Amino acid sequence: MSVSYRDALRAALLYGLLSVFWLQISDHLLNSYFDDWGQLAQWQRINGYLWAFISAVLIFIARARLLSFMGVGARLKHQRQDRERLRQAAVVFDCTREGVLVTDCRGTIVHVNRALVEITGYTAAEVLGHRPNMFKSGRHGPEFYQAVFKSLQESGDWNGEIWNRRKDGEVYPQWQTVRAITDGKGQVTHYVAVFTDISAIKKSQTELTRLAHHDALTDLPNRLLFTDRTEQALASALRHSSGCALLMIDLDHFKIVNDSLGHNIGDLLLKRVADRLQRLFGKGFTVARLGGDEFAVLVDNCPRTAEAALAAQQVLEVMKGVFEVEKHQLFISASVGISVFPRDALNAEQLLRNADSALYKAKKAGREGYAVYTEELTTHAQYRVEVANDLRRALEQQELRVYYQPVHDLKTCQLIGVEALVRWQHPVRGLISPGEFIPIAERTGLIAEIDAWVLEQACWQMGQWQSAGVELSFVAVNISSRLFARPELFTLVSTVLADTGLDPALLELEVTESAVMDDSQAALEQMHRLRTLGLRLAIDDFGTGFSSLLRLKQLPVQKLKIDQGFVAGLPADNDDVAIVRAVIALSQSMGLAVQAEGIEHVEQAQLLLDLTCDLGQGYWFGRPMPASELDWQRAPAMHG
Ligand code: C2E
Ligand code: MG
Ligand code: MG
């Protein structure tokens, strides 16, 4: 039933009740004063009730019509809906997580909700009657607030980020929306501000930015941030006509720590190194971890190489002390590459690249030292790129050749084996030795293809010799340390053996000491797997690496090859004699064959024989040569 009808019914009922009540009273009064009221009274009573009923109906109709005509019903309905809406708004206002603040048109706070109290730390009583500037943090200048008011005046609202202060003094960011409330005439009566505390979002944003720019392990800037800072430093150096230096630092043989003591200890060592470098350079310098065991330092105001070299020297010095990591006492050295702005490079990327080239030079020069970038290094780098491209072509055009160098039994002087050594028959430059292109092939990944091809050729050639009745005990093939720990090597070797049908006992694989020691666990597993194929393993260039005797004992190898550097000093150099003697004794005590490389004179061969070395290889016996030129009968005689 509509409001107007309900109201009219109420009025009619009220009238009816009052009439009946009046009739009852009058009836009672007349009865008590007049005795002959009797019949007449009965009739009058019925009439009275009838009249009361009819007039009540008339009142109902009149009232209902009047009310609907005047629109009172609709107004009452609206009022009721407004009341309901207000009640809901009040609940929302109080329950919302956003802080809400209402001011009058002069900016005096007239209302706040519960969330505002929670966010700001003030009670409602403390803020009502004050102005919102009580929350000011001081982070924004007057122009900021002017822009807010301008926006409110022009468009009636403003929203944006604003930094305010809590009661306890903490400054925090809010996302705030302010709206002007106008009356029917367009006059501003109130302002309502709704805001969210975005400090948690800001914090995680800051954390994300920090994570993207810092190394998680050491908390040092990472390569991204370091490059950015270098760019800024170069721009500032350019403005002030000064210079700066970039030191790139790489730990020597860090892999050994990782492999022998585990990654946890390795990580802790990196942290200690980072601490030491930071303490050495202090807060003003950017020390970064570029990845792995590689660090970099940006030295501002350092335009001269001599000053940069001094800083590099300090790095080497500071690394000398023992690193206490858990219960281990570790020693580690570093190599440093230096590049100086503006002398060597004009942008950050180039400066980094040049420092890297210098670092490579320092490593090659024997580690634990520093090297300064020179233009020659770039020429070298360019040369390396050219050779790598050329080498790719050489592989396709089959310009590589395998030469074989004889290995003789020192006692009988008989040729008993050969070592396969790769050569590059360059169409313009002639025969190029592996020393020139193998390191480049290793850096560019081409080495995998080269070694696979040499292995295939050598096994095939050995098969040919076998068929021709040549008595050879082995063909030795060099495997790059870059490939040795890789699982593909096993597949490659077994496939080549299967394809060529060569007896695996006739194949010897040579690996360098560093290949075995650098990634020792993977290399050890690889060695055991390769041994299951039935081939033999030799350690090449023995004595030049960092073999630990303990590790050597664990390796399933059958031969040690004494590096030619020690043989070269024979027989005059007493140190070399002592080393060669020791290596022979060591091999024999471990039941390994021992072979000396680089024998160029008969005296060297004689001394090696006297020291009971088993096998010899060198120009005195024969140079590396094409398969067809090998002289099977050659057995050079010694004097004694
Ligand atoms: P390596 O395996 O130690 O090979 C011995 C090197 O010493 C060879 O140099 C050989 O020609 C040289 N040599 C032999 N006897 C004498 C001598 O009496 N005096 C002097 N001064 N040198 C002698 P080459 O052929 O230039 O090879 C250099 C290195 O290149 C090899 O050292 C080996 O590490 C690497 N290499 C050669 N061929 C391959 C290959 O197919 N694969 C891989 N990964 N490396 C290879
Ligand atoms: Mg070799
Ligand atoms: Mg060698």
Side-chain angles (χ1 to χ4, degrees):
M1 197 190 281
S2 79
V3 177
S4 52
Y5 283 102
R6 222 184 301 148
D7 199 61
L9 186 63
R10 241 189 333 251
L13 277 174
L14 187 68
Y15 172 79
L17 276 172
L18 283 174
S19 304
V20 170
F21 184 62
W22 171 244
L23 283 172
Q24 283 281 343
I25 293 202
S26 56
D27 192 29
H28 178 75
L29 287 174
L30 288 171
N31 258 336
S32 48
Y33 288 104
F34 305 102
D35 295 338
D36 57 345
W37 188 240
Q39 279 275 306
L40 184 64
Q42 195 67 23
W43 172 237
Q44 281 288 15
R45 204 177 296 137
I46 291 166
N47 261 351
Y49 284 125
L50 199 63
W51 170 243
F53 176 73
I54 290 166
S55 49
V57 169
L58 287 173
I59 281 175
F60 168 75
I61 293 167
R63 177 119 186 156
R65 288 209 146 187
L66 186 68
L67 285 176
S68 17
F69 175 73
M70 286 165 64
V72 172
R75 215 169 40 240
L76 285 173
K77 182 180 173 187
H78 279 135
Q79 274 174 8
R80 221 166 59 87
Q81 283 175 343
D82 282 350
R83 265 203 308 275
E84 182 59 20
R85 262 203 299 272
L86 273 175
R87 199 184 59 78
Q88 285 172 359
V91 172
V92 173
F93 182 75
D94 228 38
C95 294
T96 182
R97 288 163 64 90
E98 277 88 31
V100 182
L101 175 150
V102 184
T103 72
D104 61 18
C105 59
R106 286 180 307 278
T108 308
I109 301 171
V110 292
H111 211 80
V112 292
N113 72 343
R114 209 160 21 171
L116 179 136
V117 170
E118 277 162 19
I119 295 171
T120 63
Y122 289 101
T123 62
E126 284 171 319
V127 291
L128 291 176
H130 292 82
R131 299 172 74 82
N133 63 7
M134 67 182 289
F135 302 119
K136 255 188 181 179
S137 64
R139 273 213 185 187
H140 306 286
E143 62 289 348
F144 175 84
Y145 297 101
Q146 276 157 17
V148 175
F149 283 118
K150 191 161 171 262
S151 168
L152 281 173
Q153 268 170 359
E154 283 170 6
S155 62
D157 61 10
W158 175 86
N159 60 63
E161 193 181 302
I162 183 165
W163 288 78
N164 274 343
R165 192 181 291 279
R166 297 189 220 271
K167 189 182 176 184
D168 62 10
E170 187 196 346
V171 173
Y172 68 105
Q174 292 180 347
W175 185 262
Q176 198 173 97
T177 303
V178 189
R179 181 158 294 174
I181 309 289
T182 51
D183 59 14
K185 286 176 234 136
Q187 284 296 312
V188 174
T189 56
H190 294 87
Y191 292 100
V192 179
V194 179
F195 62 86
T196 328
D197 179 351
I198 55 168
S199 41
I201 299 170
K202 277 266 156 186
K203 232 180 247 166
S204 50
Q205 260 174 4
T206 320
E207 183 59 15
L208 274 179
T209 321
R210 211 188 62 75
L211 280 177
H213 291 96
H214 284 80
D215 163 49
L217 177 70
T218 58
D219 211 28
L220 290 178
N222 61 11
R223 186 181 283 272
L224 196 70
L225 182 57
F226 185 74
T227 313
D228 198 47
R229 294 226 180 130
T230 308
E231 254 151 26
Q232 285 171 21
L234 297 198
S236 143
L238 211 57
R239 274 198 304 277
H240 301 104
S241 306
S242 63
C244 59
L246 198 154
L247 307 188
M248 201 174 276
I249 304 161
D250 191 282
L251 304 183
D252 300 330
H253 303 296
F254 173 72
K255 225 169 172 321
I256 296 180
V257 176
N258 247 354
D259 290 342
S260 52
L261 300 174
H263 286 255
N264 279 350
I265 300 289
D267 283 356
L268 288 174
L269 177 62
L270 287 173
K271 274 180 156 179
R272 300 276 195 286
V273 169
D275 289 346
R276 230 176 244 194
L277 289 174
Q278 261 187 320
R279 244 179 291 130
L280 171 68
F281 286 99
K283 281 220 158 23
F285 295 81
T286 303
V287 178
R289 180 176 173 222
L290 303 184
D293 59 345
E294 200 170 75
F295 296 85
V297 185
L298 186 64
V299 189
D300 284 328
N301 276 323
C302 180
R304 276 186 299 274
T305 313
E307 293 164 46
L310 208 66
Q313 192 60 50
Q314 285 175 330
V315 170
L316 300 182
E317 283 301 316
V318 85
M319 298 299 290
K320 279 194 174 141
V322 62
F323 288 92
E324 306 266 356
V325 180
E326 297 209 320
K327 53 187 189 310
H328 305 277
Q329 296 208 320
L330 303 177
F331 290 91
I332 193 131
S333 62
S335 303
V336 186
I338 302 170
S339 175
V340 175
F341 172 85
R343 202 199 69 157
D344 302 332
L346 291 176
N347 60 44
E349 196 200 324
Q350 206 179 1
L351 199 66
L352 269 157
R353 210 173 332 120
N354 291 350
D356 192 39
S357 296
L359 175 64
Y360 182 65
K361 184 173 149 196
K363 288 265 175 200
K364 264 189 106 177
R367 300 166 200 250
E368 201 176 2
Y370 64 84
V372 178
Y373 171 78
T374 56
E375 244 175 66
E376 199 184 288
L377 289 177
T378 298
T379 322
H380 251 96
Q382 278 165 359
Y383 170 74
R384 282 203 300 270
V385 174
E386 278 164 25
V387 172
N389 289 336
D390 219 10
L391 198 52
R392 260 183 212 110
R393 186 192 46 77
L395 270 160
E396 278 166 23
Q397 319 249 309
Q398 305 194 332
E399 288 173 12
L400 298 187
R401 306 276 177 273
V402 183
Y403 275 36
Y404 296 90
Q405 185 174 30
V407 177
H408 287 250
D409 183 323
L410 284 176
K411 266 194 220 121
T412 62
C413 282
Q414 293 300 312
L415 191 158
I416 65 155
V418 287
E419 176 176 5
L421 294 159
V422 71
R423 300 286 180 266
W424 179 3
Q425 187 65 57
H426 196 280
V428 183
R429 297 173 56 200
L431 202 65
I432 304 177
S433 75
E436 214 174 303
F437 63 89
I438 290 282
I440 298 172
E442 285 184 328
R443 285 193 107 191
T444 51
L446 282 171
I447 191 67
E449 266 181 80
I450 296 179
D451 277 5
W453 182 79
V454 173
L455 179 72
E456 222 171 77
Q457 292 294 308
C459 289
W460 177 83
Q461 184 59 62
M462 189 65 173
Q464 295 295 105
W465 284 325
Q466 290 291 302
S467 317
V470 176
E471 277 191 23
L472 268 189
S473 320
F474 64 89
V475 60
V477 178
N478 292 282
I479 302 292
S480 164
S481 56
R482 300 281 168 132
L483 298 185
F484 196 73
R486 299 239 296 259
E488 304 93 90
L489 181 66
F490 178 80
T491 324
L492 170 74
V493 178
S494 42
T495 315
V496 170
L497 282 172
D499 289 354
T500 56
L502 182 73
D503 175 3
L506 299 176
L507 178 65
E508 189 169 283
L509 296 184
E510 293 189 9
V511 264
T512 54
E513 246 179 314
S514 58
V516 183
M517 297 299 161
D518 276 1
D519 195 355
S520 48
Q521 197 47 42
L524 189 66
E525 281 165 19
Q526 181 79 280
M527 287 182 136
H528 280 291
R529 285 198 326 145
L530 288 170
R531 282 287 292 151
T532 61
L533 293 174
L535 48 77
R536 286 187 295 171
L537 297 169
I539 293 191
D540 203 356
D541 305 342
F542 188 76
T544 54
F546 292 85
S547 291
S548 97
L549 294 184
L550 189 72
R551 278 217 65 77
L552 191 61
K553 241 180 73 175
Q554 298 171 344
L555 302 179
V557 291
Q558 288 69 52
K559 184 192 275 183
L560 294 188
K561 291 185 72 177
I562 305 174
D563 187 68
Q564 50 181 283
F566 303 114
V567 177
L570 302 185
D573 189 318
N574 289 337
D575 289 342
D576 284 347
V577 174
I579 290 170
V580 169
R581 192 195 299 274
V583 175
I584 294 171
L586 178 77
S587 314
Q588 287 170 350
S589 71
M590 293 203 295
L592 308 178
V594 60
Q595 178 177 325
E597 296 182 273
I599 303 172
E600 293 187 352
H601 313 288
V602 66
E603 295 81 10
Q604 291 169 333
Q606 187 62 56
L607 178 61
L608 284 158
L609 177 64
D610 295 345
L611 294 173
T612 68
C613 180
D614 307 309
L615 306 168
Q617 172 186 3
Y619 295 168
W620 186 68
F621 289 108
R623 288 184 176 253
M625 59 191 97
S628 57
E629 292 174 22
L630 273 166
D631 179 1
W632 306 114
Q633 310 310 322
R634 191 175 139 76
M638 293 183 216
H639 303 300

